[in-house]
Each structure stands twice: as C-alpha cells, then as structure tokens.
Amino acid sequence: MGEDSTNMPTQTPTALTEWTAWLRPDGRKGIRNLVLVIYTVECARFVAHEIARNEQDTQVIGFSGCYDNAYAIRLMLALARHPNVGAVLSVGLGCEYTQPGKIAEVVRDSGRPAEHFFIQDLGGTRKSIQQGKELVAKLRDDIRLRFRRVSMTPGDLVVGCECGGSDGTSGLAGNPVVGAFFDKLVDAGGTAIFEEIVEMIGLKQVMHDRAASPEAAAALDAAYEKALSYCQSVRQYSTSPGNFAGGLTTIEEKSMGAFAKSGHRPIQGVIKVAEQPPEPGLWLLDSVPDPHFMQFGYTNPNDTEGLMDLIAAGSHVILFVTGRGSVIGSPVAPLIKITGNAQTYQRMIEDMDFDASPVLHGEATIEQRADALMQEIVSVASGMASKPEKLGHREYFIMYKHQDTPGLKEGCRA
Amino acid sequence: MGILQMEKKTKAIQIHCDDNVATLIDDLPSPGAVSILGGVGARDVIGTVSIQAGHKVALMRIAEGQPVMKFGIPIGRATRTIEPGQWVHLHNLISSHDERSGTLDLNTGVPTDSAYR
C-alpha cells in the first residue's frame, strides 16, 4: 500500500532487548524514518494523498478546516516533529488560514528538512502531484543519511494505550495484560501513557490513590472533575451500543476495566494534547476540551482521535485494546491491536496483533502475556510491520477543539 | 472434579472478594450451573437464563437500590431486587452517573430515545 520496509531499522542479533533507531536533534530516538505529508485544508486532501500514493515510508495527515484552530495546529506540529518523522512536506490550497509555510518553518527549526507549496501557485492537481512526488523523493533521500543511527532499548520507549469496542473481556484480560506490560516498561525506565479520562467516571478515589505526589493528586482530581462536568453537560458518557451488547452495563464498570490498562505504578501527572511527558514513568493524557466560549469539540468522538493524541505525546508505538474487534491503523507511530476475546482474535486474525485471552482460560498468566507483549512491541520497534501497517491502515483524525495549555506556545498563531 | 468436566462447564470470574456479580468467560447456552472462579473461592451458581460470555451473573441477592459491586467498587445500583443466578444487565442495573443507561435496548444496547425523523 505505497510503503515497504526497505527504510525500516535493522535488527541486531540480540533483537529482543536492543535495536537501532534514528537519533533526532532533540535527543529523542525514532523507530521509523518517515516523510510526513501534511495538508492544511480539506481542499488539499486529495492532492496530498495522491502525492503519498505508492511512495515508500511516506504518510499523510491533515486538517480539514479552512479557519485555523490553535489546538489542531499544536497537534499537527507535535506530529510533524515526532521522533518517527524525518521530514515534512506541507501542502495547502492557497485560501486557508492554516499556513503550510509556517509548518515547514517550525519543522526546519527542529533540525528536519521540510518543504511546502500552495496548489493554486503550482497550477492545479496534476502539477502539484508531480511537484509533490519530486519533493518527497528529495526529502526521503536527504533523511536516509542525515540522522545518526543509535542503539535503542525498552527504557527509551514511549508507549501509549487506549481501548475501544470494549466488552466484558477487556477489563479481565486485554487491559490487565497492558497494565502488567506498563509496569514492566516503567520499571525498565520507559514512559507509559494512558488516556480516556471520560472512561474513569466513578473512579475519582481510585485515581487519587495512585498519584506519585501531592501535585499529581491535585492534577488527577482536577482532570476528573473536568471530565465529569463535561459528561454531565453533554449528557454523553463514553459507552456505546457495542459495549452493552458485549456485557458492559454502566460507565463505572467500563471505567474500571479501562483503568486496568494503567497497571500499578504511581501516576506521575497529567499532560494535555501535544505535550510530551517531562520525564519517564506513567502519565495520564487529558484530551477533554477545556471550557471555551464556542464550546466546540467532543472529547474523543472516535477511536482514531484518541490515538492521534497519544502519538502527539511522542509515543513510538501505540496499543489499542478491543473486545469486539477493530480494523483501524495509524500514521506516524505503528499501532498494535490487542484483544482479550478469543473469538474476536480468531474471527479477525488478519487484523489483530495480539491475543490476551489465554489468561482467561488458564493457559497463561497475566505476567506471561505481558512479557510476550513486550517482545511483540520490541519487534515492531525494531522494524517488523504491525498488522495494521502491513494492511496499509493509516487512519487519522484532527478536529476543532479547545484546550488551555499554558505550558505551550500558541503554535503558528503566536 | 476431572479436567474434562471442568472444561464443559460454563465459567465466570469473580474479580474481587467484595463483588456480588461475576463475569462469564464462556456462553451459558441455557439455564444451568456456572462455575465461579476467583473471589472468595470456587463454587457454582445456577444461572436462571441463558447468558452470553462477557455478561454478568448475580452471586447473591441484591436488594433494589443496593450497589452492584465489580472490581471491588460500585458499578451502579439495582433497579429491582436481583436474585442469585440472575443475569445482571440494563434491565436491573443502572449507572449512578449516566441517566441514559436506563433507556437502552436490553439485547443490543442501542438507544431507544433517539428520533430518526
């Protein structure tokens, strides 16, 4: 589907504990070396995708709105400077508020090559696709040699996790196995990120008791209260018909099953979308909109939106736990799909990467499956394509939203 | 009990000792015994209806208005008295937060309060 693994990292003989990665100027290490094509309005979407079609190691993200949005720009800039990204081509139509030239400038400031153009300036679809493909080829050649290859170990990894299409097995097998893996990752010096505060409704005390410090406890309490107030005002809790059909009855029940993915280590604090965890350990990602006069933005309108937030936090690899089954993938960071439902795993085996169900049937312990998951993640980090990568899934979703982020600059609008 | 017999019987997991429900990991195709694992120890309850894997069975009598406990926390409250062995779902358990959970179709979970017109 337009990509192969010729530009993937090479595995070392001791593949399961150490592999080679690309060192970026900010010191972070990348497990892929991608050219990212970014479009700045829906009108440029088709051209951007045509540029990337059949190009190796080239992926697409973009923002549909013509009027710009600080949140969306921050999100795109975090993705553009993700450790797995080596270069960026930004493509606009020419009328829109969001400026491809500004995006390219910020990317160049990060020590990566970047190009941009407006479709109107180049004279339309065909000329833009041709020019775009030439620029992608040039950028790809550039980044093959630009970044030094260095050793990477599990302690360098940032891994994000969310769940979707949950059923009664998610809280019993899928999420607990991820939780045990997160414990191992944190113990190895790595960074684990979980999200979906709206799926922690009913768990205020449980979360509070996991805080690593009084500051973290206050941040968790504040994030909880905001999420609860949000759910009350929109009258929407994070449950869906598939959850109920799968045996989950209430948001509290789903919450506790979802929270199991956080494992047992102390929670260091709360980050917002497009922020990076300031130090290793376990972190909660808050993607719930902050109060704003226009009230726009649902918290996670679909699974892909949440995955984008985890990638923007710097996750090298992202995990998606499902009970009912899912076929999504992701750009920038490979997605690994996990289920605790043996029937789902067998029925959708071409899409599901990892089966956590043996823990339900006495065939393996949670610890054993967590070790196996670590090996799966290290294999993907060292260059093996995950199933969504192989199938060509690169879903993305960037929306209008508002978050107060005092720690961040206002992106392109500053 | 032999291993072969164990494998035939529908199993359910009680996650926490304080729980008054267990989660089925196999389908219970018709009313009958469910083998409860975990929690306060192995024993059976008699399921009163067919129950799908992933769904919950009551381990004890839960009076109307009382909390339904899973993972050691209240996941909502009983909207009618639930007897041991009964299926616990949208018809007898409601969220303490999400008022809409009482309006969903019992079998599909699909909302019944949305207008398509």
Side-chain angles (χ1 to χ4, degrees):
Chain A
M1 304 294 293
E3 286 173 50
D4 66 24
S5 56
T6 57
N7 201 15
M8 297 275 185
T10 51
Q11 282 185 242
T12 57
T14 52
L16 295 183
T17 55
E18 192 175 3
W19 62 97
T20 53
W22 286 269
L23 181 65
R24 306 302 178 197
D26 64 4
R28 291 189 292 171
K29 298 169 182 179
I31 63 163
R32 299 288 186 270
N33 198 30
L34 302 169
V35 177
L36 192 60
V37 179
I38 302 177
Y39 63 85
T40 47
V41 65
E42 181 68 13
C43 318
R45 176 192 176 103
F46 175 80
V47 166
H49 278 274
E50 287 301 305
I51 289 169
R53 184 193 292 276
N54 297 324
E55 295 288 344
Q56 281 176 13
D57 302 308
T58 304
Q59 300 180 353
V60 181
I61 63 162
F63 181 58
S64 290
C66 180
Y67 184 64
D68 58 1
N69 173 250
Y71 169 93
I73 287 171
R74 279 198 301 270
L75 184 46
M76 283 196 286
L77 291 180
L79 295 168
R81 294 174 293 182
H82 187 282
N84 293 352
V85 172
V88 166
L89 169 62
S90 189
V91 179
L93 174 65
C95 303
E96 67 270 35
Y97 278 78
T98 307
Q99 291 300 301
K102 292 271 195 180
I103 292 174
E105 190 182 313
V106 171
V107 171
R108 277 194 295 272
D109 287 345
S110 79
R112 293 167 172 83
E115 299 285 350
H116 73 279
F117 63 79
F118 282 124
I119 295 166
Q120 287 171 347
D121 292 344
L122 289 192
T125 302
R126 192 184 53 77
K127 289 172 185 165
S128 296
I129 294 168
Q130 186 185 341
Q131 173 73 5
K133 283 187 166 293
E134 285 168 13
L135 289 171
V136 162
K138 190 186 80 150
L139 291 167
R140 201 169 43 218
D141 286 347
D142 182 337
I143 64 173
R144 281 198 172 119
L145 295 172
R146 179 185 286 250
F147 299 105
R148 194 154 61 89
R149 305 296 296 277
V150 292
S151 162
M152 191 168 180
T153 66
D156 296 319
L157 278 174
V158 182
V159 179
C161 180
E162 72 165 11
C163 51
S166 297
D167 69 5
T169 70
S170 299
L172 286 175
N175 287 324
V177 166
V178 170
F181 158 74
F182 268 2
D183 290 349
K184 291 172 192 294
L185 179 66
V186 168
D187 293 345
T191 305
I193 307 170
F194 68 110
E195 64 165 341
E196 301 170 295
I197 304 178
V198 289
E199 289 180 9
M200 291 161 210
I201 299 303
L203 308 186
K204 185 177 181 183
Q205 192 61 42
V206 175
M207 285 167 61
H208 182 95
D209 292 344
R210 287 276 302 282
S213 64
E215 295 75 25
L220 287 166
D221 288 350
Y224 179 88
E225 290 300 338
K226 183 180 79 167
L228 182 61
S229 142
Y230 176 86
C231 290
Q232 286 167 342
S233 56
V234 300
R235 293 184 73 240
Q236 170 66 54
Y237 293 79
S238 186
T239 48
S240 71
N243 299 145
F244 299 118
L248 298 174
T249 312
T250 67
I251 181 63
E252 298 94 311
E253 180 182 16
K254 184 175 170 181
S255 293
M256 202 61 186
F259 191 68
K261 72 165 94 68
S262 70
H264 305 88
R265 297 294 173 262
I267 302 168
Q268 302 297 323
V270 180
I271 57 170
K272 285 190 173 176
V273 174
E275 286 182 325
Q276 319 292 314
E279 56 195 63
L282 176 66
W283 293 83
L284 174 62
L285 171 60
D286 171 16
S287 61
V288 177
D290 287 315
H292 183 268
F293 71 98
M294 285 180 76
Q295 296 292 317
F296 53 58
Y298 276 73
T299 164
N300 289 135
N302 55 49
D303 291 331
T304 294
E305 203 270 345
L307 294 176
M308 300 300 285
D309 299 343
L310 289 169
I311 300 169
S315 302
H316 294 98
V317 174
I318 46 178
L319 309 178
F320 185 77
V321 180
T322 178
R324 310 284 290 168
S326 169
V327 299
I328 58 172
S330 55
V332 179
L335 179 65
I336 293 174
K337 290 209 290 292
I338 299 165
T339 185
N341 186 319
Q343 290 163 343
T344 296
Y345 183 75
Q346 288 305 327
R347 196 170 60 244
M348 300 182 67
I349 194 159
E350 291 176 5
D351 288 276
M352 303 307 302
D353 293 274
F354 191 84
D355 182 11
S357 72
V359 305
L360 286 180
H361 305 287
E363 294 151 10
T365 64
I366 287 176
E367 287 296 306
Q368 287 168 336
R369 289 316 283 162
D371 284 332
L373 180 58
M374 174 70 92
Q375 299 213 344
E376 179 84 10
I377 290 165
V378 166
S379 295
V380 168
S382 66
M384 185 187 83
S386 72
K387 286 188 176 173
E389 272 188 300
K390 277 182 205 152
L391 288 167
H393 280 284
R394 300 289 183 272
E395 289 86 342
Y396 57 89
F397 190 81
I398 296 175
M399 60 188 284
Y400 282 105
K401 195 190 274 193
H402 172 78
Q403 276 197 323
D404 302 325
T405 47
L408 289 171
K409 294 202 169 67
E410 282 295 303
C412 301
R413 300 180 70 188
Chain B
M1 187 182 289
I3 286 169
L4 287 175
Q5 281 173 292
M6 282 284 287
E7 284 181 350
K8 272 188 229 162
K9 197 186 280 182
T10 299
K11 294 185 287 297
I13 295 181
Q14 180 184 4
I15 297 166
H16 192 281
C17 292
D18 294 342
D19 293 356
N20 51 21
V21 295
T23 303
L24 272 68
I25 57 176
D26 314 300
D27 290 335
L28 178 67
S30 56
V34 178
S35 175
I36 308 297
L37 310 173
V40 294
R43 73 267 187 218
D44 285 1
V45 297
I46 306 301
T48 58
V49 290
S50 67
I51 307 176
Q52 286 179 33
H55 287 243
K56 295 173 290 300
V57 64
L59 297 174
M60 59 191 77
R61 191 165 195 270
I62 308 168
E64 182 179 342
Q66 289 303 300
V68 172
M69 302 288 291
K70 182 179 170 183
F71 301 100
I73 66 151
I75 61 166
R77 57 187 193 280
T79 53
R80 64 181 81 160
T81 295
I82 304 171
E83 300 296 338
Q86 284 187 341
W87 177 32
V88 179
H89 201 35
L90 299 161
H91 57 305
N92 52 18
L93 164 60
I94 190 169
S95 168
S96 298
H97 292 279
D98 182 3
E99 60 204 73
R100 206 176 176 191
S101 75
T103 71
L104 303 163
D105 181 84
L106 177 59
N107 294 305
T108 63
V110 171
T112 57
D113 61 353
S114 298
Y116 288 79
R117 55 187 172 163

